[in-house]
Amino acid sequence: MPAAADAPLIAMRGVTKTYSGITALEDVGFSIAAGEAVSLAGENGSGKSTLIKILAGVEQRDSGEISFGGQPQNGLTPRTAAAAGVKVIFQDFSLFPNLTVAENIGFSAELGAGHRLVNRGRVRALAEATLQRLGVQIDLDARVESLPVAHKQLVAICRALATEARLIIMDEPTTALTGREVATLLGIIRRLKADGVAVLFVSHKLAEVLEVCEHVVVLRNGRKVAEGPAAEFDQAKLTRHMTGRDVADAPPEALPPDAPLLMAVRGLAKAGAFAAVDFDLHGGEVLGISGLLGSGRTSLAKALFGLVIPDTGSVRVDGRDVALGDPLAAAHAGIGYVPEDRLTEGLFLTQSILRNVGIGRLEAHGRAAGVLDLAGLWADATDWLKRLAVKAPRVTAEVRSLSGGNQQRVVLARWLSRSPRVLVLNGPSVGVDVGSKAEIHGIIRELSAQGLGVIVISDDLPELLTTCHRILVMKDGRITDELAGGTAEADLARRLAS
Ligand code: ADP
Ligand code: MG
């Protein structure tokens, strides 16, 4: 794009878009300079994707102005936006699965350059150079469909770079990535910036939003509600802007010294997963278990609920041994378990909310009465849905129609309706937006205030530090450290990594 002197790379003013009566964006404006990384943050539904589509010419704005390098852009199309150097990495990456890495990266550049015949040598050389520019190693001849998600994403980024990208827009790029892959991606974004490429990083995850970008723009309900240097934001402030509410982030108050012992785990071990695990959990205590991927934390969580069979050791609840490797025995002993992947492990997606909650109670009601007390089931489930503030059109709606945060609450409601003594939450806020996350943390506080013991397995450090009384650090299957909740995040990060 021919840049007017001093004009920003991209400037928007008063951009508004409605979809059949729903206002997706209203009067949004901000600008991006060359080589600058801007975070566009906002909860689900706040208008982030709509804004991207308008910048990329995929959707047309109703009103407002957009200029590239000082040149007003009217009637943007995907073609003209791309020609101006605006490249979007959409969530599906839009790659050709049955072509190779080299072909995916090099083809559009080759065609864009006006060559009538594709020159394989040139395509390969370009792909290789682009991968090198980002310092990534991926087999040029691998078919893209065979690559892990993180590599597909890198290929998509390389393809954008190979065609003269001035601004790379990434829509929720970390959704499908592991912690380590996120770190790699953030490193790539830094390299892009250093190379003079601007990045618009779209996310609803607080830590990432603040980490890579010098400038933050926050959307809420289609409006820009905050904007400024990333240095002027912290997670609490960002959350406040994204949700429009204050969110408590102080660690929980100390346990009373006479809190009863609820659960005692001794010498729990499983070859290849974890060993010599000892800990106590008291009534009202929230105990965090953290560790990097592969540290054994997930196997341990599952073992506590009988989903993984330990080789040796014991788990006692209220002084009684719980049969190991038996989820039913664990449930009878008062242990509840909310899986990380609630979508595949925890819920019957095509069944009603009521039914999903009721399954937890079915046993209790059925056994006691000899017949099913449907009215009791209904009343109980409805009560828990209300107490957990599940937002749903009606309790008979299918679970799959709910947002992530509300699905998580349905799983919680199921367990709570059985009056558990200990609740094991594996990644309680994975995949939910900040508002729901804060509410889930509020629920954890309430449960612990009622005397429940809660075990939170998580790699979200701020989550652990604000919800837990104590945090156990796992490494190579062993508990190597213990910290108090409210410890500085950097401390916990260091102990996890050391
Ligand atoms: P985000 O990416 O921040 O989650 P979106 O831009 O996808 O938000 O959505 C913003 C709002 O616009 C939402 O209320 C959404 O339901 C609505 N919306 C988005 N795309 C469409 C569409 N094609 N038709 C109707 N409504 C839409
Ligand atoms: Mg979106």
Side-chain angles (χ1 to χ4, degrees):
M1 62 186 84
D6 295 335
L9 185 68
I10 307 278
M12 281 162 280
R13 230 173 54 195
V15 173
T16 295
K17 172 80 183 170
T18 53
Y19 289 107
S20 49
I22 298 172
T23 305
L25 285 177
E26 190 168 0
D27 192 23
V28 172
F30 65 94
S31 55
I32 306 173
E36 184 185 34
V38 174
S39 272
L40 181 62
E43 289 200 280
N44 290 329
S46 58
K48 306 182 298 295
S49 293
T50 303
L51 184 79
I52 294 176
K53 287 180 193 149
I54 288 173
L55 272 182
V58 175
E59 295 275 5
Q60 298 303 317
R61 59 192 187 268
D62 299 339
S63 57
E65 293 155 31
I66 295 179
S67 60
F68 291 173
Q71 304 278 323
Q73 302 292 320
N74 295 312
L76 266 178
T77 66
R79 236 193 144 85
T80 53
V86 175
K87 314 279 162 151
V88 186
I89 316 288
F90 285 107
Q91 280 174 302
D92 66 358
F93 309 135
S94 320
L95 295 167
F96 298 104
N98 52 355
L99 297 186
T100 65
V101 168
E103 290 162 346
N104 268 283
I105 296 176
F107 269 0
S108 35
E110 183 78 359
L111 295 172
H115 299 296
R116 296 199 33 226
L117 288 174
V118 171
N119 176 319
R120 298 203 163 262
R122 253 193 328 246
V123 162
R124 219 185 143 78
L126 176 62
E128 196 160 15
T130 316
L131 283 167
Q132 257 171 23
R133 190 169 154 196
L134 289 185
V136 223
Q137 283 176 342
I138 301 177
D139 179 6
L140 285 173
D141 300 313
R143 279 156 69 97
V144 157
E145 65 192 347
S146 70
L147 299 179
V149 166
H151 283 181
K152 286 187 182 136
Q153 183 177 59
L154 293 175
V155 170
I157 295 173
C158 285
R159 182 187 51 189
L161 277 182
T163 51
E164 303 272 320
R166 312 283 297 271
L167 169 70
I168 295 188
I169 303 177
M170 303 185 189
D171 193 4
E172 305 272 2
T174 62
T175 308
L177 303 188
T178 65
R180 192 169 308 162
E181 291 164 348
V182 170
T184 306
L185 178 68
L186 300 188
I188 299 263
I189 292 176
R190 288 192 198 96
R191 265 180 112 119
L192 290 172
K193 278 195 293 186
D195 242 11
V197 178
V199 175
L200 182 60
F201 181 84
V202 180
S203 177
H204 64 265
K205 298 185 188 167
L206 303 173
E208 298 167 7
V209 161
L210 295 175
E211 194 172 333
V212 280
C213 297
E214 47 263 23
H215 197 81
V216 176
V217 173
V218 186
L219 296 183
R220 187 170 78 232
N221 295 332
R223 292 178 156 270
K224 184 177 81 178
V225 291
E227 174 176 12
E232 289 176 8
F233 286 82
D234 57 21
Q235 297 206 7
K237 182 170 169 189
L238 200 53
T239 305
R240 223 161 30 238
H241 286 303
M242 283 166 72
T243 63
R245 298 190 287 281
D246 257 316
V247 180
D249 59 357
E253 282 174 32
L255 276 186
D258 59 349
L261 177 64
L262 209 55
M263 183 190 226
V265 174
R266 292 291 177 270
L268 209 61
K270 178 173 179 65
F274 51 85
V277 172
D278 286 338
F279 66 84
D280 288 340
L281 177 72
H282 294 85
E285 185 173 32
V286 184
L287 178 68
I289 301 183
S290 192
L292 302 176
L293 219 66
S295 62
R297 53 164 216 247
T298 304
S299 305
L300 174 61
K302 289 186 169 174
L304 295 176
F305 187 65
L307 293 170
V308 157
I309 310 175
D311 304 327
T312 57
S314 66
V315 175
R316 311 191 106 207
V317 172
D318 289 329
R320 276 189 298 276
D321 267 314
V322 182
L324 297 177
D326 180 352
L328 266 184
H332 277 300
I335 304 175
Y337 176 76
V338 178
E340 175 165 40
D341 197 345
R342 66 188 177 281
L343 298 180
T344 56
E345 285 184 52
L347 288 170
F348 301 94
L349 290 175
T350 55
Q351 307 258 8
S352 70
I353 299 166
L354 198 62
R355 209 163 233 243
N356 271 279
V357 176
I359 281 164
R361 276 301 262 170
L362 213 52
E363 229 189 353
H365 281 259
R367 288 235 172 114
V371 288
L372 277 183
D373 171 12
L374 281 178
L377 270 177
W378 179 285
D380 248 30
T382 327
D383 182 43
W384 273 109
L385 292 170
K386 209 180 289 160
R387 282 166 74 177
L388 292 176
V390 174
K391 288 193 202 85
R394 47 189 194 283
V395 289
T396 49
E398 284 184 19
V399 158
R400 67 174 165 190
S401 69
L402 303 181
S403 70
N406 281 305
Q407 291 186 354
Q408 193 74 305
R409 269 173 250 202
V410 169
V411 185
L412 275 172
R414 174 195 301 166
W415 280 110
L416 294 173
S417 71
R418 303 184 59 132
S419 321
R421 310 271 293 135
V422 175
L423 203 54
V424 181
L425 305 176
N426 192 1
S429 57
V430 168
V432 308
D433 58 36
V434 272
S436 301
K437 186 166 168 177
E439 283 171 35
I440 287 172
H441 293 171
I443 292 168
I444 293 176
R445 271 166 213 263
E446 268 173 44
L447 296 175
S448 81
Q450 291 163 18
L452 216 79
V454 183
I455 298 179
V456 178
I457 320 279
S458 176
D459 57 6
D460 181 330
L461 306 188
E463 167 166 281
L464 289 167
L465 293 165
T466 57
T467 55
C468 298
H469 292 93
R470 279 189 302 145
I471 301 156
L472 305 177
V473 175
M474 277 189 87
K475 214 170 295 169
D476 299 329
R478 287 169 188 270
I479 294 173
T480 53
D481 221 332
E482 179 182 325
L483 286 89
T487 307
E489 185 176 341
D491 260 356
L492 177 53
R494 202 160 38 241
R495 307 254 198 125
L496 278 169
S498 68

